[in-house]
Amino acid sequence: MRRIWDTPGGVHPPDNKAQSLTSGIGQLPLPEKLILPLTQHVGGAAKVCVSVGEKVLKGQKLASASASISAAIHAPSSGWITAIEERAVAHPSGMSAPCIEITCDGEDRWIECMGYPDYKQATPLQLRNLIADAGVAGLGGAGFPSAAKLDRGTHMPVDTLIINATECEPYITADDILIRERADQIIQGIEIISHLLGTPKTILIGIENNKPEAIAALNQQCQGTGIEVVSFPTKYPSGGEKQLIYILTGKEVPSGQLPADLGMVCLNSGTAFAIKRAVIDGEPLISRITTLTGEACDINRNYEILIGTPVSHLLEQNAFNPDLCSRLIMGGPMMGFSLTSSDVPLVKTSTCILAPSHTEIPDGDPAQACIRCGLCAEACPASLLPQQLYWYARADDHERLQAHNLFDCIECGACSYVCPSNIPLVQYYRSSKGDIVNARTAKATAAVARERFEFRQVRLEKADTVRETKREARRLATEQAKITSPTTTQSSGSSAADIIKAAQLRGSTRQASPEQQKAKLERTLMAAEMRLKEAQQRLLQATTNGSADQQTQQLASVEAAKRKVEQTAQRLTEVSH
Amino acid sequence: MAFKQVSSPHSHARQSTGQIMQLVLLATLPGLLVLSYQFGWGLLINILIATISAISAEALILKLRNRPIEFYLRDYSAVVTAVLLGLALPPLAPWWLVVVATVFSIVIAKQLYGGLGSNPFNPAMVGYVVALISFPIEMTTWVTPVSLLAADVSHPGLLESLAIVFAGNSPVDGVTGATPLDLFKHSDGLLVEQIYQNNSLFSAASFAGVGWEWANVAFLVGGLALLKARIFTWHAPMAMLGTLALMSMLFWDGGSSNSPGSPLMHLFSGASMLGAFFIVTDPVSSAVSNRGRLIYGALIGLLVYVIRAWGSYPDAVAFAVLLGNFAAPFIDNYTVPRTYGHGQSRRATDKETSE
Ligand code: SF4
Ligand code: SF4
């Protein structure tokens, strides 16, 4: 038996998994429309490579990865592209983002797929590109592009590959059911990853012991493969990447580093399945297993849903009663976020749709005072002091927050879960993190602005000196001329008149006619408007996937462009009157 | 279709602060019963007066502070303070003593600091110490345990007790007397053995001091129940009791005339167990991390012993706790737990940022 390490903290919420496990993976009828956000993953938004009106086949690439950390998006069914525009997407803030809309033709016709059943012949790079091309991103909920994760693995020697089948969140059974029904394909996927990473010494599948069927299925499939199935006691949040690594190896990922720095790669079991599909069958990631559960739906089970299926379609098919529903959650009850509308699409990271009744998840009581009972500190898997963080968050004491390692908080919610005073601790941490990041970027932008200002000062000074030297040179030259050619003095009168005339002429040309001015201003205005539009586009991209840093920068450039447009328009009206 | 926007996590453990406080109250019951058996009606009357004054004072202040009264009263923290104070004050003490101590606890020590959670000192102990310093005579008059009463005297009945408390009637002679710690303290120059022989308070006792030993056992039982229910962790109470035991063993001195008393006497006399499980565990005024609570508990245990042995007060739990409260923020500063992925823990006052 492999040794298991116990993580500090953790909680034991009722697991509520049985209700969605009464039947196997189901299929939904094809929805009328599919909506595919360009950002369903961590990293840059995918770049659209189709246009509105185009007919697409199932599996056809719609948008390609735009950066080293990004993922391609494919058509989950055949049909027409009917829109490429902003749509409401599943996001904690209820925002909208650029999406591609497909109106399905109902034929569900596949594009030709090129699989690589003989993957052992392929080089790691080829395999990596296959996975990247298939748009595989972490299916456990984080959505980190898998190719990028494996890249890190190929740059450094990997001795441990960890497959995360923990699924510690209550209610969710997507991994469980996938393993029960398709363990063989998951193992194939793991073997592909292992081959790609140069056969790591240790390959572990971590799974909580509340899934005996899945464990049995894995054990059966792993025989003779060298892959080890390690089950451990159920405790939330064992499925956090850092927690799982500690449970299985006793090693901690140092703060600010990645598992790859320890020679480890950790992938979700669903992701391993998607990788098998991508490599052996040549099928891109266009569907996933999503759990539909909660008392507000008559039927609780798992579905193999097409990415882009509207949540409302899923609910309608399962006799959803909105009057019963206390809130609609994407993800689990611990880390999932509430949806304000059911029109948003399911994406690659949608593990679960939870529609609880009012008795199941009642509206919270108002928060009481923190009695410093320390239950939160006992529950914290990262050994933080949540009550102190809460105190400092309320006081906006950023320094103390960072001294208490706020940024090591994984937002698992264990602290809020146990808090007897019902304090929404995680909410405080999230907003404090946001504030700190914003303050940092503001500082950085201020520094950039100052630098720019100083640079401009220097440039102006330089220009001044240049002008000064030129003037000096001219003066010297004229003096020289006076000395060398006394004859010019004769015609000095006429020449002076000439000069004056020439100067007047120059002045008049500079003083262009109103028509000319207007035309010029119009041109400037057009250019400024164009720049504004571009800047807005970039801002949009930055808000969907860029860092806070990029966002502030883009925001600033939009502001600048706007000002320019306004100024020009103003001048234009002045001129035309 | 529109749905409510709520922040995660969506589920909660079903235990509220009010429930925790109620459990604490429940856990004081064994101790209260034993004390009442040993010392008569006085303690119940104390608790009643204290509870009524605490709730009234809390409600009044909440009204002045414009806070929802019912909402805050339902956290039961005022009742807990009142009950602890009622248990600590001498039975048959005049009613105004209890009222003054309670009102001081609630108004000055708790609400003026911002209410529950913001008070740096344990309110009950502040009230107790204020009463002790202001009214030393009333505060050091205890009732004699029932088993030591002379054959022809008995504890006053309920009505008689009420008359003593409210009308200021004096109790019958022989009903009040010294506590074991008191007695021990004031028996200088005698061998421990002699003290034990001379005084029925000790000679009639099973292992510590008549009346007190069983009350302490009862509080220990209540405290262990709370520990089992995971209302608090073992760190602070065990560290306190451990240190107290260790110190009394070190200085036991074979029971010489200089000996400050045996470990058993210290553990099971005075407010040792009540303090360890109901006062030291008060989360608001203690250190926050487990390591911090170990130090905090040990510090209080040490102080209790030092004051008992060499100070001028026979019991010291209240003073020790207040000193411990005072030290808690410093302890916290040096006992921030090591966060996952960090080589070592940091100090709370560290200014450099972590990336
Ligand atoms: S669990 Fe809640 S009440 Fe208890 S210390 Fe933490 S934040 Fe305060
Ligand atoms: S949300 Fe953060 S502070 Fe709270 S338990 Fe999880 S890691 Fe700890």
Side-chain angles (χ1 to χ4, degrees):
Chain A
M1 268 303 277
R2 177 167 282 274
R3 176 169 171 207
I4 307 287
W5 279 263
D6 187 24
T7 51
V11 291
H12 297 92
D15 77 1
N16 278 311
K17 290 183 188 256
Q19 55 266 54
S20 56
L21 284 168
T22 48
S23 39
I25 299 174
Q27 307 288 339
L28 282 180
L30 206 58
E32 200 182 314
K33 288 183 178 183
L34 293 164
I35 302 154
L36 298 148
L38 295 181
T39 313
Q40 305 181 22
H41 47 261
V42 177
K47 240 190 353 256
V48 182
C49 52
V50 289
S51 44
V52 177
E54 208 174 315
K55 184 148 182 29
V56 292
L57 290 174
K58 181 173 189 163
Q60 182 177 337
K61 195 187 270 184
L62 305 178
S64 49
S66 62
S68 66
I69 300 183
S70 178
I73 289 162
H74 303 77
S77 186
S78 57
W80 296 271
I81 309 285
T82 40
I84 301 177
E85 61 187 19
E86 295 252 319
R87 287 292 170 86
V89 295
H91 189 272
S93 70
M95 65 172 200
S96 48
C99 294
I100 302 175
E101 183 192 77
I102 299 178
T103 304
C104 302
D105 59 11
E107 290 172 20
D108 209 23
R109 195 140 42 86
W110 269 101
I111 200 168
E112 206 176 319
C113 297
M114 262 281 293
Y116 240 106
D118 216 5
Y119 67 88
K120 290 228 162 103
Q121 308 304 320
T123 64
L125 189 67
Q126 281 172 318
L127 285 177
R128 181 244 169 236
N129 288 343
L130 269 177
I131 293 167
D133 249 8
V136 181
L139 295 181
F144 195 85
S146 306
K149 210 172 212 180
L150 295 171
D151 267 350
R152 298 201 184 173
T154 44
H155 292 325
M156 298 190 211
V158 173
D159 59 21
T160 312
L161 170 62
I162 293 175
I163 300 299
N164 189 346
T166 322
E167 205 165 47
C168 60
E169 272 252 13
Y171 284 99
I172 310 179
T173 53
D175 287 343
D176 190 356
I177 200 89
L178 183 72
I179 296 171
R180 288 190 198 188
E181 297 193 5
R182 305 181 194 169
D184 51 339
Q185 298 189 55
I186 294 175
I187 302 299
Q188 277 179 298
I190 297 174
E191 282 174 333
I192 296 169
I193 302 164
S194 152
H195 176 68
L196 196 165
L197 293 174
T199 346
K201 220 168 56 238
T202 321
I203 304 178
L204 305 170
I205 304 179
I207 185 163
E208 281 187 341
N209 62 7
N210 59 354
K211 308 176 187 57
E213 283 96 339
I215 295 172
L218 284 173
N219 272 329
Q220 195 196 345
Q221 293 295 332
C222 285
Q223 261 162 27
T225 57
I227 302 173
E228 221 176 309
V229 182
V230 187
S231 71
F232 44 84
T234 303
K235 174 163 98 176
Y236 178 85
S238 311
E241 187 173 73
K242 292 174 166 183
Q243 277 65 40
L244 181 62
I245 287 176
Y246 183 77
I247 291 170
L248 296 181
T249 66
K251 289 185 198 155
E252 289 182 12
V253 183
S255 178
Q257 291 190 25
L258 293 165
D261 298 318
L262 295 178
M264 295 186 198
V265 166
C266 185
L267 286 168
N268 174 265
S269 55
T271 314
F273 175 76
I275 286 176
K276 180 264 164 185
R277 279 270 176 96
V279 173
I280 296 190
D281 311 319
E283 288 179 19
L285 178 60
I286 54 165
S287 66
R288 65 157 296 139
I289 311 295
T290 297
T291 310
L292 175 69
T293 183
E295 285 173 4
C297 279
D298 264 4
I299 306 162
N300 284 192
R301 70 183 298 185
N302 284 281
Y303 285 102
E304 182 158 29
I305 55 109
L306 293 179
I307 308 289
T309 305
V311 172
S312 52
H313 179 73
L314 175 65
L315 293 175
E316 278 156 24
Q317 300 297 325
N318 290 285
F320 168 67
N321 183 347
D323 297 331
L324 285 184
C325 185
S326 69
R327 56 186 85 172
L328 190 62
I329 301 165
M330 183 173 279
M334 298 299 286
M335 288 182 83
F337 53 89
S338 62
L339 297 175
T340 47
S341 149
S342 60
D343 297 332
V344 300
L346 292 159
V347 293
K348 293 177 184 173
T349 52
S350 307
T351 48
C352 176
I353 293 292
L354 173 57
S357 67
H358 290 279
T359 44
E360 220 174 351
I361 296 189
D363 291 342
D365 296 327
Q368 288 173 297
C370 166
I371 53 169
R372 309 218 309 159
C373 62
L375 288 174
C376 50
E378 262 177 84
C380 179
S383 301
L384 297 167
L385 288 175
Q387 72 274 51
Q388 298 298 93
L389 290 174
Y390 163 66
W391 225 251
Y392 299 136
R394 280 188 32 170
D396 270 331
D397 189 340
H398 291 179
E399 278 172 355
R400 291 282 190 109
L401 280 171
Q402 291 177 68
H404 277 78
N405 299 328
L406 174 66
F407 281 87
D408 288 293
C409 164
I410 57 169
E411 297 179 20
C412 66
C415 51
S416 313
Y417 177 79
V418 295
C419 177
S421 288
N422 233 321
I423 302 172
L425 296 163
V426 183
Q427 205 178 333
Y428 279 97
Y429 306 152
R430 256 189 230 125
S431 83
S432 284
K433 281 183 190 173
D435 287 351
I436 292 175
V437 170
N438 283 350
R440 272 191 212 157
T441 41
K443 223 162 144 191
T445 3
V448 170
R450 195 179 52 239
E451 235 165 68
R452 267 203 214 122
F453 175 74
E454 280 163 5
F455 182 72
R456 182 161 171 270
Q457 282 311 95
V458 170
R459 204 187 56 209
L460 289 182
E461 271 165 33
K462 234 192 230 157
D464 272 352
T465 35
V466 169
R467 231 174 293 147
E468 198 59 38
T469 39
K470 269 192 190 152
R471 205 178 296 142
E472 188 64 20
R474 262 205 308 279
R475 195 177 57 80
L476 283 177
T478 31
E479 265 171 27
Q480 197 79 30
K482 267 185 207 156
I483 298 162
T484 49
S485 70
T487 45
T488 47
T489 42
Q490 281 178 355
S491 57
S492 73
S494 72
S495 97
D498 283 350
I499 288 169
I500 290 166
K501 217 184 247 165
Q504 275 172 345
L505 204 68
R506 267 208 303 282
S508 72
T509 40
R510 217 178 274 155
Q511 189 91 121
S513 68
E515 279 75 20
Q516 279 173 317
Q517 272 189 27
K518 220 174 121 188
K520 192 173 164 212
L521 278 172
E522 265 161 6
R523 274 200 306 280
T524 326
L525 182 61
M526 228 155 71
E529 273 170 353
M530 210 129 93
R531 263 200 297 279
L532 175 61
K533 217 171 264 160
E534 276 166 22
Q536 275 167 338
Q537 205 77 41
R538 278 198 306 275
L539 174 64
L540 200 70
Q541 267 178 25
T543 38
T544 49
N545 53 51
S547 65
D549 218 330
Q550 288 167 341
Q551 283 173 27
T552 10
Q553 267 175 26
Q554 294 307 344
L555 201 63
S557 56
V558 167
E559 287 302 313
K562 254 193 208 146
R563 261 201 306 284
K564 179 82 185 167
V565 170
E566 275 160 23
Q567 277 168 7
T568 330
Q570 176 81 25
R571 291 252 315 276
L572 194 59
T573 45
E574 277 169 23
V575 170
S576 25
H577 287 313
Chain B
M1 226 175 278
F3 296 92
K4 238 173 70 192
Q5 186 161 15
V6 208
S7 153
S8 70
H10 303 277
S11 36
H12 283 281
R14 295 261 126 246
Q15 190 171 44
S16 68
T17 295
Q19 284 164 335
I20 289 184
M21 297 287 181
Q22 286 171 14
L23 273 180
V24 171
L25 288 176
L26 207 62
T28 59
L29 270 186
L32 173 64
L33 289 179
V34 173
L35 280 176
S36 295
Y37 168 74
Q38 298 284 357
F39 302 108
W41 289 99
L43 283 157
L44 277 173
I45 298 174
N46 275 356
I47 289 177
L48 203 68
I49 301 174
T51 309
I52 293 171
S53 2
I55 293 179
S56 323
E58 179 119 319
L60 183 73
I61 296 285
L62 286 172
K63 192 159 164 51
L64 289 179
R65 291 178 64 202
N66 259 332
R67 301 291 156 99
I69 296 176
E70 206 197 330
F71 175 74
Y72 280 100
L73 282 184
R74 246 184 298 144
D75 64 27
Y76 282 90
S77 57
V79 182
V80 169
T81 300
V83 168
L84 294 179
L85 205 48
L87 288 171
L89 293 174
L92 301 184
W95 62 272
W96 47 263
L97 179 74
V98 183
V99 171
V100 167
T102 318
V103 170
F104 201 91
S105 304
I106 299 290
V107 177
I108 311 278
K110 182 170 146 197
Q111 289 292 350
L112 283 195
Y113 281 103
L116 178 62
S118 309
N119 46 305
F121 298 103
N122 181 302
M125 291 301 101
V126 173
Y128 182 87
V129 163
V130 165
L132 184 58
I133 293 171
S134 319
F135 314 107
I137 305 197
E138 287 83 356
M139 286 294 288
T140 42
T141 315
W142 264 86
V143 174
T144 314
V146 64
S147 49
L148 295 187
L149 289 175
D152 55 342
V153 238
S154 64
H155 281 143
L158 179 57
L159 286 180
E160 212 180 320
S161 303
L162 287 173
I164 296 170
V165 171
F166 286 101
N169 294 4
S170 347
V172 195
D173 270 357
V175 164
T176 55
T179 64
L181 285 172
D182 239 345
L183 193 70
F184 199 91
K185 175 120 224 143
H186 295 115
S187 309
D188 286 344
L190 293 176
L191 292 177
V192 171
E193 217 172 312
Q194 289 170 322
I195 306 179
Y196 271 52
Q197 268 165 10
N198 294 349
N199 290 291
S200 52
L201 251 182
F202 291 110
S203 55
S206 315
F207 52 93
V210 176
W212 296 96
E213 49 189 23
W214 292 112
N216 271 286
V217 169
F219 282 121
L220 173 65
V221 168
L224 290 179
L226 288 181
L227 196 59
K228 179 111 198 306
R230 304 177 53 121
I231 299 300
F232 45 71
T233 60
W234 57 268
H235 303 81
M238 291 308 164
M240 171 190 158
L241 294 176
T243 315
L244 188 58
L246 189 76
M247 287 298 286
S248 42
M249 265 188 284
L250 283 180
F251 292 94
W252 165 234
D253 203 15
S256 75
S257 56
N258 282 327
S259 169
S262 74
L264 271 181
M265 183 190 88
H266 278 286
L267 286 177
F268 290 94
S269 295
S272 297
M273 291 297 168
L274 179 68
F277 289 102
F278 294 88
I279 309 284
V280 172
T281 52
D282 164 30
V284 178
S285 52
S286 85
V288 291
S289 66
N290 285 345
R291 211 151 49 97
R293 284 179 177 172
L294 275 179
I295 299 173
Y296 171 80
L299 178 70
I300 291 177
L302 183 76
L303 286 169
V304 166
Y305 186 80
V306 167
I307 301 176
R308 274 184 189 173
W310 302 295
S312 53
Y313 283 96
D315 201 358
V317 171
F319 287 107
V321 166
L322 291 185
L323 288 170
N325 292 164
F326 193 68
F330 299 98
I331 299 174
D332 284 342
N333 188 32
Y334 293 98
T335 50
V336 176
R338 187 188 67 84
T339 308
Y340 179 105
H342 287 260
Q344 67 194 97
S345 57
R346 322 174 62 175
R347 291 209 192 122
T349 41
D350 276 358
K351 287 288 160 105
E352 92 274 28
T353 57
S354 69
E355 297 297 319

